Amino acid sequence: MTSDFQPEKAIVRAFHAELATATPDTVGGILASHVASDWHWRGMHPFHEQHGARAVATAFWEPLLGAMTRLQRRPDIFMAGLNEIDGFKGSWVVQMGHLMGLFDRPFLGIRPTGRIVMLRFVEFNRIEDGRIAETAMFVDLPHLMIQAGQDPFPPQTGAHLVQPGPMTHAGLMYDMQDPAEGHATLAAINAMLNNPFSSVDGVDEETRLKRVWHDDMIWWGPAGIGASYTISRYIKQHCEPFDDALHDGYRFNGHLCRMAEGQFGGFFGWANLTIQNAGGYLGMTAGPGPSEMRVVDLYRAQDGKLAENWIFIDILHYLALQGLDVLGRMASITEY
């Protein structure tokens, strides 16, 4: 397997550099000059799946650039690798960080503040024949709503923060990395995925997690859930509320991409999980039927275990499948 992803990284960096100059009027042309004609783009609710540069510009970039003045990209992680899910054939480049701008005009019914906002994002790009052929773009819209003073959720079990990048400040891997380190990181991620979180042999959950996580792990959860620090607080502030409310009809659907480079790696699915809300989670009553969660996990590994985990969950999609249109409610308030 190749360990030289510099050409793929250069393609994405050139794309991001030109996108930084985009306006609502020019962004469609900029996208078209970097992506394949049949570009498959996946975005969180309400953007969902789009095909081709014009559709993506209309659905996502034009409204965002129209709402945010002087939008800038502030990455914390940049990495590339081969996709384990397709037998290490597809080359993917991943970036995570914040899109920062002045929130000057309404966006998806969210009322502007005229102040700085930091929109958490993670972007997976598959490169093929010198172009971006496939993208998953996750943004934390509830995080934006909270910054704008329009929190749609009851109090979080974890902490709400504008999340920092890796503690080591080593996430921007513009140069080649040692392939052995990437293999070790992917092995640590797979060990976590294969480690049961529920007690099946009399071993408690905290002991199980310590097999694959450092004790002082940091779980950077999405808005609506929040961040947790240490295994014990992660169990109390995320695992227990999640398991108590979402145990019915739980099904893991798999991932579309899972890769690693250096100390960092991650995956996304579409949708990763099918679940049934038994009541109470994120303030919802019991769901009338199954819902689903589209999830991104990025990790930092250290000494064979996982030390940090950044999570993106399409919570608005999860709620919409249960009959709660959060953005529609915001829009109606704005119009009123």
Side-chain angles (χ1 to χ4, degrees):
M1 294 184 294
T2 182
S3 59
D4 182 7
F5 301 102
Q6 296 308 101
E8 289 84 359
K9 290 180 180 179
I11 290 167
V12 173
R13 293 186 73 184
F15 169 57
H16 289 163
E18 192 169 359
L19 194 56
T21 70
T23 68
D25 294 330
T26 65
V27 69
I30 290 172
L31 295 176
S33 67
H34 292 273
V35 305
S37 59
D38 58 349
W39 184 31
H40 186 184
W41 186 93
R42 295 177 175 89
M44 301 175 85
H45 178 90
F47 312 112
H48 304 293
E49 295 185 69
Q50 305 293 332
H51 295 271
R54 172 40 44 202
V56 176
T58 301
F60 180 71
W61 283 107
E62 289 175 3
L64 181 64
L65 291 169
M68 305 292 174
T69 303
R70 303 290 288 268
L71 190 70
Q72 64 175 237
R73 186 179 291 256
R74 302 177 65 88
D76 295 308
I77 293 175
F78 184 79
M79 62 182 177
L82 295 177
N83 181 10
E84 181 184 27
I85 303 303
D86 68 3
F88 299 101
K89 295 176 182 177
S91 295
W92 290 76
V93 180
V94 179
Q95 188 182 70
M96 186 203 80
H98 293 84
L99 298 173
M100 187 190 83
L102 296 169
F103 192 7
D104 285 341
R105 289 162 292 278
F107 180 57
L108 304 174
I110 307 169
R111 300 183 299 280
T113 65
R115 302 187 180 98
I116 289 176
V117 288
M118 305 281 282
L119 179 60
R120 293 180 67 225
F121 81 92
V122 62
E123 183 182 65
F124 283 69
N125 287 301
R126 182 173 64 84
I127 310 303
E128 184 178 339
D129 298 329
R131 287 186 169 261
I132 298 171
E134 187 176 356
T135 297
M137 181 76 176
F138 280 58
V139 293
D140 195 340
L141 292 176
H143 179 240
L144 175 65
M145 296 168 69
I146 292 170
Q147 292 174 74
Q150 298 155 62
D151 187 348
F153 302 125
Q156 299 179 128
T157 52
H160 167 70
L161 303 165
V162 174
Q163 296 179 2
M167 189 174 77
T168 57
H169 300 282
L172 297 176
M173 294 176 285
Y174 297 128
D175 300 323
M176 285 186 63
Q177 303 295 307
D178 179 359
E181 192 169 41
H183 294 160
T185 298
L186 187 58
I189 293 171
N190 283 322
M192 180 274 302
L193 292 171
N194 294 323
N195 182 56
F197 288 162
S198 58
S199 180
V200 295
D201 57 6
V203 179
D204 65 272
E205 187 169 22
E206 185 166 352
T207 300
R208 286 183 174 279
L209 288 173
K210 285 182 177 179
R211 296 172 179 172
V212 292
W213 289 97
H214 287 279
D215 181 62
D216 61 350
M217 58 86 81
I218 308 174
W219 192 81
W220 298 110
I225 301 171
S228 296
Y229 175 42
T230 73
I231 287 176
S232 61
R233 298 298 172 90
Y234 165 68
I235 292 172
K236 181 176 182 179
Q237 296 172 358
H238 172 60
C239 294
E240 290 178 354
F242 187 95
D243 292 343
D244 288 347
L246 303 176
H247 59 275
D248 292 345
Y250 180 95
R251 184 176 75 243
F252 173 61
N253 301 317
H255 301 140
L256 295 185
C257 177
R258 185 162 67 240
M259 47 77 70
E261 185 181 30
Q263 299 173 354
F264 296 85
F267 52 75
F268 79 89
W270 196 263
N272 308 45
L273 307 174
T274 297
I275 46 183
Q276 175 90 27
N277 182 10
Y281 197 67
L282 299 177
M284 287 291 293
T285 57
S291 187
E292 62 184 28
M293 283 190 173
R294 304 163 174 169
V295 183
V296 169
D297 280 60
L298 293 190
Y299 299 90
R300 178 176 68 85
Q302 180 180 315
D303 302 324
K305 292 185 177 182
L306 301 176
E308 291 188 86
N309 183 193
W310 294 265
I311 307 288
F312 293 76
I313 300 176
D314 194 349
I315 289 177
L316 298 185
H317 175 63
Y318 159 76
L319 292 174
L321 290 178
Q322 297 180 80
L324 176 57
D325 182 358
V326 172
L327 293 175
R329 184 172 62 186
M330 289 294 103
S332 67
I333 293 172
T334 301
E335 292 170 1
Y336 178 79

